[in-house]
Amino acid sequence: MTKLIGPIIHSGKTNRMMMVLVLVSLAPSLVAAVMRFGFAAALLVICALAGAWLTELVIDRRQAFDGSAVVTGVIFALLLPVTAPWWLALIGGMLATGLGKHAFGGLGCNLFNPAALSRVILMGLIPGAWFISTAVTIDGITTASPLARESGLLAPTITGLLSGSIPGTIGQVAPLAVLAGGLMLVSLRTIDWRIPLTFLATVAFLALVLPPGIRIEGHAPWLLGNPLLHLVGGGTLLAAFYMLSDPVTAPFTPGGRIIFAVVAALAMMLVRFYTPYPDGAALAVLLANASVPLIDRLTLELGPPPSLEPPDNL
Amino acid sequence: MSSLDWVFSSAREALYGRQVPRLKTTRESAIITIPTPRRVRLLSDGLNPVVEVGQAIEGGKLVARSPVNERFQRRIHASLTGTVTAVREDHIIIEGDLPERPPLTHGVPEWIAPEAIRDTSREAGLIGMGGGMFPTYVKLSHPAPIEVVLVNGCESEPYLTCDHRVLVEQRDQANCGAELAMRAVGARQGMIVDREINYPGGYERLLIHDTLGKVVPKRGLPRDVGVLVMNVQSALALHEAVCLGRPLIDRVITVDGDAVGRPGNYRVPIGTELGHLQKVCEIDAAKAAMILTGGPMMGTAADEATPVTGGTGAVIALTAEELGDYRPQPCIRCGQCMEVCPYNLPVAHLVESPHKVVLDCIECGACQFTCPARRPLIEELRRAKAVVTAWD
């Protein structure tokens, strides 16, 4: 007669199930991107996905089927402008899983969001591939860059942002699709609602209160203090629902997650307002990720011990 | 009487002598409890009534008694729960408010003293039958003042319904047990809690918080907040010991799981080996991947020779498909362990870097049940507890 250690039945939930839910929630964004850009977007997604997944397969075969590399690949692809070359997607996917995840020890061990890390590194190393590949015209709009750089030429409007007729990365062209996917994840409780809510609320607040910075050449739209533009434009929604809400790289406690989302929003809005860097969402995600160990330490160890009172939902 | 009958009776008289006939035609008829009458007429000739017209009265309560100076004392009790509608010279009428209600509920006889209850529970070997198996008399004897007796009927473990069935079928007796416990400790309030509640809400501390809003201190016991918690079957056993003189020799258990052919609640003698239950309840040994005593969250693996004890609430035989797959994957810090923890412990974090709050963990297993990475969290939590304990 052995004492069992813990329950013998299980809820049946798996990591893979959570990844599948994330992928399903990304489907509207992917469909919107392919409808908008056609084969170019599909190719980038496939390349990023292949890069991410094959890298994982080579490095750790056991983890290759839990779906996390697929999620990473897709999110990275959504951060690419549709004008990006296919090899950028492939390298980005490889870098995301290889450096962003496995270099830290694999699933659950990474400090930074793999897709955001890959994007920021590649933007630093080969900015040309992101910004200067010009003159691809689709639907009569030059989609030469991520949203910010050149769209000073055509001031973004809310209807334009919502309908996807504004240049941007392939994940940014359909904010409503991203929002729908994100709300699905929130309602299924796959992600913690506190992170996107706090993040979006803080972004809107900062857009209203931050004083405009010195005008920087080619840096028009973010100097507009319109909170709606900041919410639906750039990588805000992707960061809110997909990058910041990745539990691996978010703080553990509900309180910590709120602090984390505020830090991310602050970082993003400071970048947008006061630097020539166009979007800042990915960079803000990395900055917030870097603060997670400290936030965890403050909320878990130095803070008051968890309440002895059981919650009311029993 | 026909002539043939006359011949027979004459022959009988010749054989057995002249007798009054026996006429025992209902000898084989079982006793049937009649539908409760709407009213009862209690004869009270020569007695002093202690009730008034219009008074609500519970079955079993005194309605009339002899004058004090009478040599042969008589007492009459209400045989119906209802209202006194007439008090006459020679009779008292009680009209029932609920015709279906059994005529007599089990109240605590007023003449049983607290010491007698404590002594009986010690001599009858009563224990906590929710699984704790702590001697009942110790709980009933502690000098700390107790205000509330909570009878815990919230078996929140999956599968278990034995306490529920006891409450359905023998609620009055359990009630009596609760009243006996109240008298033993001098409590003024008693309640049977049998709400349907999610695991692990039936755990004593959580139940106290949930029901009374009181927080049992960290290293303390329910009595520190003036509460005594006892399991439904412990209360029933207290009733049987005190009122029927019956020591603890059996209990009701739930037998369930997909490998059980005849699942149900069974009253079994304590010490019954699982091998016997396997036959009675048709547990398919080939299908059963695991047989447990207790529920699937906190139970113990058992075999044919394992006996049912006073603290065994269930025998669960699970097939391979019902067993959780616990091949662990990396933790993705999703935080669901903390969300389901009744004490809001950051489980995934605590197993990585132990902190003294881990000692609050009651090892209910809710975190391990829900963990999408299927971490063996209880094992890891125990290790963390050992680390923290070594600090002191």
Side-chain angles (χ1 to χ4, degrees), chain A residues 1-15 18 63 107-108 189 247-248 250-253 257 292 296 300-301 305-311 314, chain B residues 206 209 216 218 290 292 296-298 300-301 306 323-324 326 330-334 336 339 342-344 346 348-349 357 360 365 368-374 379:
Chain A
M1 198 164 61
T2 50
K3 175 75 186 142
L4 288 173
I5 301 191
I8 192 170
I9 52 176
H10 191 272
S11 59
K13 281 189 278 199
T14 58
N15 281 351
M18 297 183 66
Q63 286 187 21
L107 180 64
R189 298 172 70 185
V248 172
F252 195 75
T253 60
R257 288 173 178 180
V292 166
D296 268 349
L300 283 164
E301 288 170 22
S307 161
L308 200 83
E309 292 191 10
L314 279 171
Chain B
L206 305 180
H209 179 267
V216 180
K218 258 182 200 185
M290 171 83 78
L292 308 170
M297 299 300 283
M298 294 182 90
T300 309
T306 309
L323 297 186
Y326 279 105
C331 169
I332 54 169
R333 292 167 45 97
C334 64
Q336 292 181 33
E339 209 176 297
Y343 287 90
N344 277 326
H349 189 265
V357 295
D360 289 344
Q368 186 169 328
F369 175 82
T370 204
C371 177
R374 301 176 179 231
E379 198 184 334

Side-chain angles (χ1 to χ4, degrees), chain A residues 103-290:
Chain A
F104 286 91
L107 180 64
C109 301
N110 46 311
L111 180 61
F112 296 108
N113 182 287
L117 184 71
S118 179
R119 176 181 153 118
V120 168
I121 288 178
L122 287 177
M123 278 186 90
L125 291 179
I126 25 181
W130 297 75
F131 295 121
I132 309 176
S133 54
T134 48
V136 178
T137 305
I138 295 165
D139 290 353
I141 297 167
T142 305
T143 56
S145 73
L147 178 54
R149 264 286 159 141
E150 295 183 356
S151 53
L153 302 174
L154 62 165
T157 59
I158 283 301
T159 46
L161 282 168
L162 290 180
S163 64
S165 62
I166 287 295
T169 70
I170 62 179
Q172 290 167 13
V173 291
L176 287 181
V178 179
L179 188 66
L183 290 179
M184 176 196 136
L185 290 183
V186 168
S187 59
L188 292 175
R189 298 172 70 185
T190 306
I191 59 174
D192 189 342
W193 56 270
R194 292 176 187 87
I195 294 176
L197 187 72
T198 314
F199 179 70
L200 296 176
T202 313
V203 165
F205 174 73
L206 290 176
L208 287 172
V209 300
L210 281 183
I214 309 149
R215 184 166 176 88
I216 295 162
E217 198 60 36
H219 187 283
W222 307 123
L223 295 176
L224 304 170
N226 185 339
L228 268 174
L229 288 182
H230 286 279
L231 288 179
V232 297
T236 313
L237 287 173
L238 277 174
F241 290 109
Y242 292 99
M243 293 193 283
L244 292 172
S245 295
D246 176 0
V248 172
T249 53
F252 195 75
T253 60
R257 288 173 178 180
I258 289 173
I259 300 173
F260 167 78
V262 170
V263 168
L266 194 63
M268 187 178 84
M269 296 308 278
L270 290 179
V271 169
R272 284 182 177 181
F273 270 70
Y274 306 117
T275 77
Y277 196 75
D279 185 353
L283 191 63
V285 169
L286 295 190
L287 283 168
N289 288 160

Side-chain angles (χ1 to χ4, degrees), chain B residues 125-363:
Chain B
L126 302 188
I127 52 172
M129 293 169 81
M133 299 183 69
F134 191 71
T136 302
Y137 85 91
V138 180
K139 274 179 155 182
L140 298 183
S141 306
H142 198 269
I146 302 286
E147 281 168 29
V148 188
V149 170
L150 271 189
V151 175
N152 186 351
C154 298
E155 40 196 355
S156 58
E157 273 265 4
Y159 291 106
L160 269 70
T161 57
C162 53
D163 292 351
H164 167 73
R165 282 318 301 179
V166 166
L167 281 181
V168 168
E169 295 172 27
Q170 290 180 282
R171 194 180 187 100
D172 288 337
Q173 288 92 324
N175 220 343
C176 170
E179 282 179 35
L180 285 166
M182 284 168 65
R183 183 169 307 168
V185 297
R188 272 174 303 169
Q189 199 189 348
M191 54 175 90
I192 295 182
V193 188
D194 58 345
R195 274 172 289 128
E196 293 208 3
I197 203 164
N198 289 334
Y199 187 82
Y203 187 79
E204 153 176 296
R205 284 157 195 260
L206 305 180
L207 191 75
I208 292 171
H209 179 267
D210 216 26
T211 313
L212 305 169
K214 295 183 178 178
V215 177
V216 180
K218 258 182 200 185
R219 313 277 180 264
L221 289 167
R223 66 167 178 246
D224 298 337
V225 290
V227 181
L228 184 142
V229 180
M230 69 194 305
N231 174 259
V232 166
Q233 298 205 44
S234 305
L236 178 67
L238 185 58
H239 156 79
E240 289 183 340
V242 174
C243 302
L244 310 177
R246 195 168 186 273
L248 180 61
I249 50 171
D250 62 12
R251 65 161 294 145
V252 179
I253 62 168
T254 302
V255 183
D256 204 354
D258 273 1
V260 180
R262 297 165 71 94
N265 289 297
Y266 295 86
R267 185 176 286 283
V268 300
I270 283 166
T272 303
E273 290 172 327
L274 262 48
H276 181 65
L277 282 174
Q278 251 171 350
K279 279 181 236 139
V280 174
C281 310
E282 294 175 11
I283 297 176
D284 188 340
K287 266 171 77 184
M290 171 83 78
I291 298 184
L292 308 170
T293 54
M297 299 300 283
M298 294 182 90
T300 309
D303 56 35
E304 288 191 356
T306 309
V308 170
T309 67
T312 307
V315 171
I316 305 291
L318 297 173
T319 59
E321 296 87 70
E322 288 176 289
L323 297 186
D325 176 358
Y326 279 105
R327 275 172 296 185
Q329 294 159 335
C331 169
I332 54 169
R333 292 167 45 97
C334 64
Q336 292 181 33
C337 46
M338 186 172 180
E339 209 176 297
V340 298
C341 176
Y343 287 90
N344 277 326
L345 296 175
V347 179
H349 189 265
L350 285 174
V351 299
E352 292 289 324
S353 49
H355 183 274
K356 60 181 190 307
V357 295
V358 76
L359 296 176
D360 289 344
C361 168
I362 58 174
E363 299 183 13

